Amino acid sequence: MFSRRAFLLSALAASTAGTLARAQPAPQTRAGGASGQPTLLRIERRSIAVNGKPASVLGIRQPDGTFGIRTQVGERFRVRVQNTLNEPSLIHWHGLTPPWEQDGVPGVSGPPIPAGGSADYDFPLRFGGTFWMHSHQGLQEQLLLAAPLIIRDQRDRPDQQEVIVMLADFSFTPPEQIFEGLKKSGMSSMSGASSPAPASGGMKGMTMAPDMKMDAKPDLNDVTYDAFLANDRTLGDPDVVKVEPGGRVLLRVINSSSMSAFHVDLGALDGELIAVDGFPIAPVVARRFPIAVAQRLDIRLTIPRTPAAYPVLAVLEGESKQTGIILRAGSAPIARIPDTASAASSALTLDLESRLRAAKPLRPRKADRTHTLNLTGEMAGYVWSINNVAWNKDVPPLPLAKGERVELVFVNQTRMPHPMHLHGHEFQVVEIDGKRFAGAVRDTVLVPPRRRVVVAFDANNPGLWALHCHLLYHLESGMFITLGYV
Ligand SMILES: [Cu+2]
């Protein structure tokens, strides 16, 4: 008999199978479901217009044109993904807790789906909320290969209109060229600085410049984008959503950007933030909320009784560029909103994070195991790493054991913020800079420059799991590690 560990390793080594799902018991037939057929999702090339110019991008849609999927907690996630591209691809279910082989990370959970191939998924949905799906293959995410993944639950009221706002950054430059440019410009900016010249072999990128000041300004927005999109559109031609005057709206904001964080700006409307990354919090009322890459915000709004157009904007961190959608109550006229805000926004901070409190916190428990993850690297050569090791196939998984309470200590030693994402488990923010508190349960947490953030999770989903910075080019250059247990 194979031990579970042997199974784990052999499954890892298998790289030819096109089907990822393990054999499952006969699926329950859903009420109204067409004889228990899985939902079909197609990875496909599609065309959008950006700034009046055509752009060829990727997407994930059902045959009827629906982007992504909307389902219900308690249902099984029964999906067949068809890859219609002429290159391999694989979709990660961001924030869900599937069996590890169905997590959609090429080389970790299994092989990518070859061109023209398909893969099946079948697992129970443990919780509801706002999630999303995106390619974890190469740089496909930059080509908008992402879609909403909404799981309705008892928080979804019949008298509340759901509005999805999917944010993205867009460039007409091919992603591979963007990545090459980052590596080159990192080198040239380094040689022009007063810091010591970079050593050959890229090793310089693995340590902090010794003369770096503690108060050095953060590096934000490495990539200069051509546009910022909300539901695939710019403010020049925005998504206009009809809402009821006096009605209630649930905004599900998803930051599917590859590299860009925003401040969500509700203008004159008060928003009640009720969940982050799908998980409920003690509600926070405000008109502006930060959202890092890969995070989600569930915001309840009450639309005033006066017919009017209410923009929901997202202002780029540290700059004035903005995108957004318009909520149109009644037949109000819609004014053109410029794609630059009147003032530049600040960098994202942890001010809101430190105020968030989980509505359903983890059971208090001492950590059985703690891993410290120094976030390391720098712009020179564009090398990003964890504990000074840029990810490669020979890096062993961080050890842990089933049943343990595990704490991850993120210490950002760089000048860039890093949104850190753990696969297959929800975690709770339990400490910021030495101050313990019962913070939000979520799956992606921002670690700004020089800050220390601690998260806790229960090791209840054995397998091999990715843990990484969600900035696409940081992830791609090595700010990535795995956790493994049986
Ligand atoms: Cu990063």
Side-chain angles (χ1 to χ4, degrees):
M1 282 294 288
F2 267 141
S3 69
R4 174 129 176 94
R5 177 178 297 274
F7 165 73
L8 226 151
L9 295 173
S10 66
L12 264 179
S15 58
T16 51
T19 293
L20 303 176
R22 289 181 298 171
Q24 294 285 344
Q28 304 153 1
T29 306
R30 258 190 245 174
S35 61
Q37 288 297 305
T39 303
L40 188 62
L41 290 173
R42 288 190 186 131
I43 302 173
E44 56 193 21
R45 193 160 274 282
R46 63 195 176 102
S47 236
I48 59 170
V50 181
N51 301 337
K53 285 194 284 182
S56 176
V57 297
L58 307 177
I60 183 156
R61 280 190 286 199
Q62 298 181 31
D64 70 359
T66 304
F67 286 94
I69 204 166
R70 261 184 198 151
T71 181
Q72 184 78 31
V73 71
E75 299 261 351
R76 293 189 72 86
F77 187 79
R78 295 195 64 231
V79 167
R80 169 163 293 180
V81 177
Q82 261 181 5
N83 178 12
T84 74
L85 307 180
N86 55 13
E87 58 181 289
S89 187
L90 197 61
I91 301 299
H92 166 58
W93 319 109
H94 187 115
L96 303 195
T97 57
W100 70 277
E101 306 93 323
Q102 299 186 47
D103 191 47
V105 182
V108 176
S109 349
I113 307 171
S118 66
D120 292 326
Y121 301 82
D122 187 354
F123 55 88
L125 294 169
R126 284 176 45 223
F127 41 73
T130 304
F131 300 92
W132 63 299
M133 58 182 79
H134 62 85
S135 172
H136 230 289
Q137 171 78 15
L139 301 173
Q140 289 173 347
E141 188 191 81
Q142 181 73 84
L143 293 171
L144 312 184
L145 189 32
L149 199 175
I150 307 301
I151 306 169
R152 295 212 171 99
D153 63 15
Q154 77 293 342
R155 289 173 288 170
D156 295 296
R157 305 171 178 179
D159 66 340
Q160 168 181 281
Q161 182 182 349
E162 174 184 287
V163 177
I164 295 173
V165 184
M166 185 118 166
L167 304 171
D169 43 24
F170 175 85
S171 176
F172 283 103
T173 306
E176 292 72 22
Q177 214 172 306
I178 295 176
F179 195 29
E180 284 311 306
L182 284 168
K183 292 185 209 172
K184 286 202 195 100
S185 70
M187 282 301 186
S188 58
S189 75
M190 189 66 199
S191 58
S194 57
S195 318
S200 59
M203 292 304 291
K204 181 65 189 69
M206 304 222 176
T207 52
M208 298 291 297
D211 58 347
M212 184 175 291
K213 294 193 192 92
M214 287 300 282
D215 60 355
K217 279 187 78 175
D219 284 326
L220 307 171
N221 306 317
D222 301 1
V223 181
T224 303
Y225 283 99
D226 292 318
F228 295 93
L229 308 179
N231 299 344
D232 285 342
R233 306 168 86 122
T234 61
L235 283 168
D237 175 29
D239 190 14
V240 177
V241 181
K242 210 169 156 29
V243 296
E244 285 296 311
R248 303 171 65 107
V249 165
L250 174 65
L251 284 179
R252 297 186 184 272
V253 188
I254 302 170
N255 189 357
S256 75
S257 295
S258 293
M259 294 294 284
S260 308
F262 301 90
H263 297 270
V264 174
D265 183 346
L266 304 174
L269 299 180
D270 282 327
E272 184 188 21
L273 181 67
I274 59 163
V276 293
D277 298 354
F279 290 91
I281 50 161
V284 173
V285 175
R287 292 179 176 183
R288 229 172 137 87
F289 296 99
I291 186 166
V293 167
Q295 292 182 332
R296 287 87 64 210
L297 301 172
D298 284 16
I299 303 170
R300 273 190 185 142
L301 300 175
T302 301
I303 305 298
R305 294 192 178 282
T306 347
Y310 299 99
V312 173
L313 302 176
V315 186
L316 181 64
E317 162 182 48
E319 299 198 24
S320 55
K321 292 170 191 163
Q322 63 183 4
T323 185
I325 66 158
I326 314 285
L327 302 176
R328 186 186 199 192
S331 50
I334 295 174
R336 167 80 189 252
I337 295 169
D339 52 19
T340 37
S342 51
S345 78
S346 56
L348 260 62
T349 68
L350 293 175
D351 292 357
L352 178 65
E353 193 70 57
S354 61
R355 287 168 54 209
L356 297 180
R357 295 294 179 274
K360 293 177 195 159
L362 264 61
R363 190 165 54 83
R365 182 176 163 187
K366 216 167 152 285
D368 301 300
R369 190 188 297 264
T370 300
H371 284 297
T372 297
L373 298 146
N374 295 296
L375 310 179
T376 46
E378 61 178 48
M379 290 300 287
Y382 216 73
V383 179
W384 301 99
S385 53
I386 292 176
N387 292 336
N388 292 312
V389 177
W391 166 256
N392 61 76
K393 294 260 186 268
D394 299 327
V395 178
L398 291 171
L400 63 160
K402 191 179 176 185
E404 287 181 339
R405 169 66 54 87
V406 181
E407 291 195 1
L408 302 175
V409 181
F410 297 115
V411 183
N412 187 347
Q413 300 185 348
T414 76
R415 287 171 58 178
M416 287 211 73
H418 303 289
M420 299 302 296
H421 172 49
L422 172 64
H423 288 227
H425 307 74
E426 68 274 29
F427 58 63
Q428 184 176 14
V429 178
V430 294
E431 186 200 306
I432 294 177
D433 295 330
K435 183 172 180 287
R436 300 288 292 197
F437 65 107
V441 172
R442 59 189 319 157
D443 58 54
T444 306
V445 71
L446 184 70
V447 188
R450 301 298 177 173
R451 305 296 294 271
R452 173 189 153 103
V453 176
V454 183
V455 303
F457 69 95
D458 287 320
N460 55 12
N461 196 6
L464 188 63
W465 297 104
L467 167 63
H468 62 89
C469 173
H470 219 288
L471 300 184
L472 181 61
Y473 302 99
H474 291 193
L475 151 66
E476 197 60 18
S477 75
M479 194 173 268
F480 182 102
I481 198 164
T482 59
L483 299 173
Y485 64 108
V486 295

